[in-house]
Amino acid sequence: MARLQEKEYTYFTTVRGMCRQCKNIVPARVYFQDESVWQQSMCPDCRNEPALIAEDKDWYLKNVIKPMSDHSPLPGAKPSQNGCPHDCGLCTWHASPCLLPVIPITSDCNLRCPVCFTFNRNDKIYFKPVSEMKKTIDWLVKTRGSLDLVNITGGEPTLHPEILDIIRVCKREEIGRVTMSTNGIILAKNYDLCQKLAELETCVVLSFNTFDGNVSIKMNGKDLVETKLKTIDNLHRAGARMTLINVLTHDHNENAIGGIFDLMQKYNNILSLTIQNMTYSGQGGSSFERTRHIPVDQAIQIVCEESGGMFEKDDFFARPSAHPLCYQICYMIKNGDGYLPLARFAPPEKIQQLIQDSYLMRPGHQEVYTDAINQLYAEGKTEHLELFRTIIEKLYPPGKHLNNFQRQQVSEEFIRAIFIHAHMDEDNFDCARAMMCTDQVPTEPGTLKPICTYNLFDRTEDERFHVK
C-alpha cells in the first residue's frame, strides 16, 4: 500500500471560520506546525493565509481543550435559524451572558488611527440621543439585573455634545461603574471635563500604545505621546480612575509595556492594563501591514519579559465565562514598588470563583484570602502576612456590611489587574469563540451582538457608522 504524502503540519480540528475576501462563514482547519497552533480558512472560492492562534501547542492543549462554561440557552435568547453568527440577538447557541455592555454613542472621531479595528463614517456624524441611551440602559438592567460596569465608546465619546448626560443616565444602583473609552485628545486640553468625569465617578479607559513619537505616528496617525501623558496627569489631578489599553503589534511597541508599569506605579488611579492584540479589520486595521498575529499566550510572554521579572506565565489564567483564546487575566496586589500576583497565593480556580459571571473581581469570598494566610503560615513565609490581614480588615470591616460594588471600590486601593484581550478579525474568526463572548454591543434595546461579530458583520450594515 502506498504511503500517504507526509505534510509539514499536523491537522487537529476544524472550526467555523470566516473568509477574509468574500466574508462568508466557511470551515477553517486548526493545525500544529513548529510547535505552534494555526488556523486557516478553507473557502472554496478564495485563498486565505493562515493565522497564528497560539504560539505554544502545549499551552493551547492545556488551556483550550477542556470543559468551558455553558449558560445556553440564555434568558430571552432567540431561536437559531441560520447558525452562528447570523442569528445574533443573542440566539440560543450563545453560551455566555453579557458581562460588559459596549455602547457606541457616536461615529465622530478626531483621529483616523491605522490600527483602528472598527468603522466610523466621515460624511455624516451620529450622536446617540440621551433618551435612546436611557432606553438601552433600562433594558439592560431589566434583563441582566446588576452589572459590574457599562462601557461607553465611539468614535470618540468626548466629542458627544451631551456626554455628561449620557454618563448620568448610566448611573444606576444596579451598575457598579461607568467606563468611557477615549483617545485622550480632548481630556488633555479640557481639565474641567476631567474634573466632571471624576465627580461622576467615571473610569476613563485611555488608549496608550507607545512612548515613541514615530511609533505613535505609525499606529495612531499622529505623535500623541505628550498628549497621552498630559491626559494621565490631568485625570490624576482631578481624581478620576483610569485603565490603560495597549494595542500590541509586532516590531512596533512591545517595549512600551515596562514603561506602562512605571506609570501604574507612579499614578495610583491607574487600576488596570488591558493588552489587545493587533486586529487586522475595520476602517484602519484592514489596511495596516499584516504581520503574524499576536495570540494571547504570546502576549502573556511579552508582558512577562517586559515586566522585569515581576510576572510569570502561570500568573495568568482564563476568564471563566469567556473563551481562553479571548481573555486571560492576572490579578495582583500592589505592594510598595512592585506587584504580587495573586495566583502565587491562591489556586487559579479559587480566584476564578471571584469573577464567575462577573466582569470585575467580586472579592466576596473571604476564604480566598484566609486560605492564603494559612498557606503562608504553613510554609513559614511571614513576609506578606500583614498585607493580607490588612486586605481582609478593609474588605470585611467589623460591624459593617459591604455589597459587591462597595467591596470592588475598596479593593482598588490594593488590587490591580492585567487583562489580555484578543479580538478576532477575518483570519482567526471562530464561531466557538464568538458564542462565548461576554463583551456585547446593544445595537438596540432588545438586541445584543458579541463585540467581534458586531465589528465584522454588523457595523458595516449600520448606516450610523458605515456608508452602505
Side-chain angles (χ1 to χ4, degrees):
M1 179 183 295
R3 289 185 59 183
L4 293 174
Q5 182 180 358
E6 292 192 9
K7 297 187 178 293
E8 58 184 9
Y9 62 83
T10 301
Y11 167 80
F12 181 67
T13 190
T14 300
V15 299
R16 283 170 60 89
M18 178 182 182
C19 176
R20 175 170 283 276
Q21 278 68 43
C22 66
K23 313 301 183 184
N24 288 329
I25 295 298
V26 297
R29 62 177 162 228
V30 175
Y31 61 89
F32 303 147
Q33 185 173 1
D34 299 327
E35 298 303 313
S36 297
V37 188
W38 300 79
Q39 177 177 317
Q40 184 174 25
S41 296
M42 298 182 291
C43 180
D45 302 313
C46 313
R47 174 169 173 76
N48 290 275
E49 297 297 323
L52 185 71
I53 59 172
E55 186 181 40
D56 184 345
K57 178 187 70 175
D58 292 336
W59 179 93
Y60 175 87
L61 292 172
K62 177 182 177 182
N63 286 270
V64 177
I65 311 305
K66 63 181 182 181
M68 301 180 194
S69 299
D70 183 3
H71 299 272
S72 64
L74 297 167
K78 302 173 183 178
S80 177
Q81 297 179 335
N82 301 307
C84 182
H86 304 300
D87 298 313
C88 270
L90 299 164
C91 84
T92 53
W93 284 20
H94 204 86
S96 295
C98 180
L99 302 183
L100 174 60
V102 180
I103 307 175
I105 63 167
T106 181
S107 62
D108 197 6
C109 192
N110 44 13
L111 287 177
R112 292 292 178 266
C113 294
V115 296
C116 184
F117 63 49
T118 191
F119 290 91
N120 287 298
R121 65 185 301 172
N122 305 330
D123 61 318
K124 183 179 178 183
I125 301 302
Y126 162 73
F127 294 116
K128 192 178 189 73
V130 175
S131 59
E132 186 178 326
M133 187 70 172
K134 185 178 185 307
K135 290 179 182 178
T136 298
I137 296 299
D138 287 345
W139 174 74
L140 283 170
V141 169
K142 180 180 178 180
T143 56
R144 184 68 178 94
S146 65
L147 285 159
D148 286 343
L149 51 82
V150 167
N151 177 249
I152 296 169
T153 185
E156 171 51 44
T158 57
L159 297 176
H160 194 297
E162 298 178 288
I163 179 58
L164 297 177
D165 289 330
I166 289 283
I167 292 171
R168 290 186 184 101
V169 163
C170 303
K171 296 283 291 182
R172 300 271 299 255
E173 64 178 10
E174 302 92 344
I175 296 173
R177 73 184 61 177
V178 182
T179 66
M180 182 190 72
S181 301
T182 180
N183 57 37
I185 292 176
I186 299 297
L187 298 182
K189 303 173 183 177
N190 190 338
Y191 180 68
D192 181 62
L193 179 56
C194 294
Q195 289 181 306
K196 287 183 169 61
L197 292 173
E199 290 168 4
L200 289 170
E201 299 182 320
T202 307
C203 183
V204 176
V205 182
L206 175 68
S207 61
F208 195 102
N209 296 324
T210 180
F211 294 87
D212 186 318
N214 292 326
V215 173
S216 180
I217 292 171
K218 292 177 182 178
M219 298 186 71
N220 301 112
K222 293 182 179 181
D223 180 356
L224 296 174
V225 175
E226 293 304 318
T227 297
K228 305 278 187 179
L229 293 174
K230 178 65 174 176
T231 297
I232 291 174
D233 191 63
N234 278 353
L235 291 168
H236 179 258
R237 289 192 296 121
R241 294 173 295 180
M242 296 180 58
T243 187
L244 300 181
I245 285 191
N246 176 275
V247 177
L248 189 61
T249 181
H250 279 300
D251 302 322
H252 284 79
N253 65 332
E254 297 102 319
N255 60 359
I257 305 299
I260 291 176
F261 286 132
D262 291 339
L263 287 177
M264 293 177 71
Q265 285 290 341
K266 180 179 178 181
Y267 296 99
N268 199 46
N269 62 322
I270 301 178
L271 305 180
S272 63
L273 166 63
T274 296
I275 303 289
Q276 291 185 345
N277 64 323
M278 176 62 202
T279 307
Y280 302 99
S281 64
Q283 190 166 332
S286 59
S287 58
F288 196 81
E289 182 182 359
R290 269 192 290 164
T291 57
R292 180 182 288 191
H293 289 70
I294 300 180
V296 289
D297 65 324
Q298 188 177 34
I300 291 171
Q301 188 60 40
I302 291 172
V303 169
C304 293
E305 291 171 356
E306 295 296 325
S307 73
M310 278 192 297
F311 305 110
E312 299 174 357
K313 212 166 184 179
D314 289 341
D315 295 329
F316 291 79
F317 50 86
R319 174 180 292 285
S321 297
H323 196 284
L325 293 180
C326 296
Y327 259 115
Q328 295 281 319
I329 308 172
C330 171
Y331 281 106
M332 62 264 195
I333 302 170
K334 191 170 184 179
N335 184 36
D337 295 330
Y339 298 103
L340 302 174
L342 198 52
R344 299 183 192 178
F345 301 93
E349 55 270 19
K350 283 280 189 181
I351 306 173
Q352 287 173 321
Q353 291 177 10
L354 305 179
I355 51 174
Q356 187 70 47
D357 298 331
S358 60
Y359 189 87
L360 301 176
M361 179 187 287
R362 292 187 174 180
H365 296 266
Q366 185 174 349
E367 66 272 11
V368 172
Y369 304 99
T370 54
D371 287 352
I373 288 177
N374 292 334
Q375 184 66 29
L376 290 172
Y377 262 124
E379 296 175 357
K381 299 176 180 178
T382 61
E383 180 183 0
H384 304 302
L385 284 175
E386 193 60 37
L387 176 62
F388 277 94
R389 287 196 191 97
T390 301
I391 290 173
I392 290 177
E393 289 171 358
K394 291 188 176 183
L395 289 177
Y396 310 96
K400 185 178 181 181
H401 174 73
L402 303 181
N403 62 34
N404 284 325
F405 295 154
Q406 290 169 328
R407 281 203 181 97
Q408 284 173 347
Q409 288 189 326
V410 171
S411 70
E412 290 171 359
E413 180 182 338
F414 41 82
I415 296 290
R416 296 292 180 268
I418 305 171
F419 299 93
I420 309 290
H421 185 194
H423 288 280
M424 295 184 288
D425 58 23
E426 292 89 341
D427 297 318
N428 56 15
F429 182 80
D430 178 353
C431 286
R433 291 171 62 178
M435 286 187 284
M436 291 191 67
C437 182
T438 60
D439 299 9
Q440 300 166 14
V441 180
T443 54
E444 59 188 61
T447 302
L448 288 167
K449 306 278 187 177
I451 186 71
C452 291
T453 298
Y454 170 73
N455 283 331
L456 291 172
F457 297 95
D458 297 288
R459 187 122 168 167
T460 54
E461 300 300 316
D462 190 335
E463 64 179 10
R464 297 173 299 179
F465 299 97
H466 193 266
V467 181
K468 294 185 179 182

